[in-house]
Amino acid sequence: MAKVRLEHVWKRFGKVVAVKDFNLETEDGEFVVFVGPSGCGKTTTLRMIAGLEEISEGKIYIGDRLVNDVPPKDRDIAMVFQNYALYPHMNVYENMAFGLRLRRYPKDEIDRRVKEAARILKIEHLLNRKPRELSGGQRQRVAMGRAIVREPKVFLMDEPLSNLDAKLRVEMRAEIAKLQRRLGVTTIYVTHDQVEAMSLADRIAVMRQGEIVQLGTPTEIYHAPADTFVGGFIGNPPMNFLRAGALGGRVVLEGFAVPSPVEGEVLLGVRPEDLRVSKEQAEGAFRARVLVVEPLGPHLQLTLEREGETFRALADPDFSVAFGEEVWVRPNPGRVRLFHPKTGKALA
Ligand code: ATP
């Protein structure tokens, strides 16, 4: 186990700035997830930690050791990639043992580690099979096993589940969470999937254009997004943003009002599940018209319109409403967050 620390790390590819002044310190044994849209610099950052990509500026520490000039094989890390890169001609046992053989570990130590990893991953019965004789989920386990046998200080994982179908992803996600907690190895995990990030992370680093926009626990990120980008990226359906005016220290939308630290135009951010929809006029509510009704099982997803703006709300599955109807919408005042209309930054 070790902390990973990045201090003012930059990466430039010619004129492209892929990573800008990146700062992060993980805890020992922490599970940190980098999440963000395609091209935001997640993989580049991970590869710099691994030593697969040179850094343009800054310092990277693994434990107390500055690793800027340490080659990847000496960094005490193990990586799991999206394409598992298993050797097709080797069986599962050999695939898992290969890295240790290269490092000239004694035979019985290799055997002990491979069998222990196989036991943890429940792939003992597959040790003699070749990768082509395995399902996607089983291959994924072997890739994990290859990382585990190294007994590294840090796991680095780059979209390790993205080759699996939706159901298997959810299963393997739970496996990875369990495994990481059991082994207690500091883990940095890259994904563009916000659900995966929420479910796995102790802390999430939300990235955009080479920078961390917000670093926090899943709950902080979800309920107190630093800006409209984070509010819109995390959560499905995303946070709603309604234009509103603040006057005399309050933002008022018809019957609804919350205190505002600023005057003038603001964006009122509220998540779809924090809106209560009713057919009767309700206190603290504003009116809206129903545009779309989608029964999703656990709840009814409504797309609503108010003064030319559309937004979403989640209602009880047995709430009966039709296109064009007028409804009353009451935001949970404790869950409303105000944002600057131009910068998108949260207003304290
Ligand atoms: P994705 O989810 O699509 O993998 P990402 O967040 O991992 O995206 P990176 O792969 O880290 O993003 O890329 C960050 C930026 O750096 C992008 O603009 C990309 O085009 C650029 N980039 C990455 N590798 C190189 C390279 N070898 N040469 C030039 N530009 C690169």
Side-chain angles (χ1 to χ4, degrees), residues 1-5 24-32 49 61-63 76-78 152-157 180-181 183-189 202-203:
M1 275 205 293
K3 291 185 181 183
V4 176
R5 192 160 90 241
L24 173 77
E25 180 167 6
T26 72
E27 298 293 330
D28 242 352
E30 193 179 18
F31 201 129
V32 174
I49 299 169
Y61 294 87
I62 295 177
D76 227 341
I77 49 135
K153 288 208 177 110
V154 179
F155 284 132
L156 301 176
M157 304 190 187
Q180 197 273 343
R181 257 95 215 178
L183 300 174
V185 177
T186 309
T187 301
I188 302 181
Y189 186 106
D202 292 315
R203 277 190 304 166

Side-chain angles (χ1 to χ4, degrees), residues 40 49 76 91 115 171 193 210 214 216 229 236 241 259 292-293 322 344:
C40 71
I49 299 169
D76 227 341
N91 68 21
K115 287 189 173 144
E171 272 173 41
D193 180 339
Q214 188 172 7
F229 169 76
N236 184 25
F241 301 102
V292 185
V293 180

Side-chain angles (χ1 to χ4, degrees), residues 135-149:
S135 71
Q138 290 168 336
R139 276 182 218 156
Q140 213 285 332
R141 275 170 212 266
V142 179
M144 292 291 299
R146 209 169 37 175
I148 291 173
V149 296

Side-chain angles (χ1 to χ4, degrees), residues 113-177:
R113 290 196 189 187
V114 169
K115 287 189 173 144
E116 171 66 4
R119 192 179 59 74
I120 293 172
L121 293 161
K122 302 191 186 75
I123 51 172
E124 290 156 295
H125 58 298
L126 304 174
L127 287 172
N128 292 320
R129 290 212 201 156
K130 297 273 171 60
R132 66 166 183 280
E133 297 163 329
L134 302 174
S135 71
Q138 290 168 336
R139 276 182 218 156
Q140 213 285 332
R141 275 170 212 266
V142 179
M144 292 291 299
R146 209 169 37 175
I148 291 173
V149 296
R150 300 269 312 283
E151 298 181 0
K153 288 208 177 110
V154 179
F155 284 132
L156 301 176
M157 304 190 187
D158 192 352
E159 304 257 8
L161 303 181
S162 56
N163 281 349
L164 305 177
D165 65 46
K167 186 159 172 283
L168 203 50
R169 274 181 88 121
V170 174
E171 272 173 41
M172 286 308 297
R173 189 171 81 198
E175 296 276 323
I176 287 183

Side-chain angles (χ1 to χ4, degrees), residues 10-22:
W10 291 72
K11 178 67 190 181
R12 299 183 191 90
F13 293 105
K15 286 204 173 119
V16 178
V17 181
V19 178
K20 282 180 214 161
D21 196 26
F22 196 100

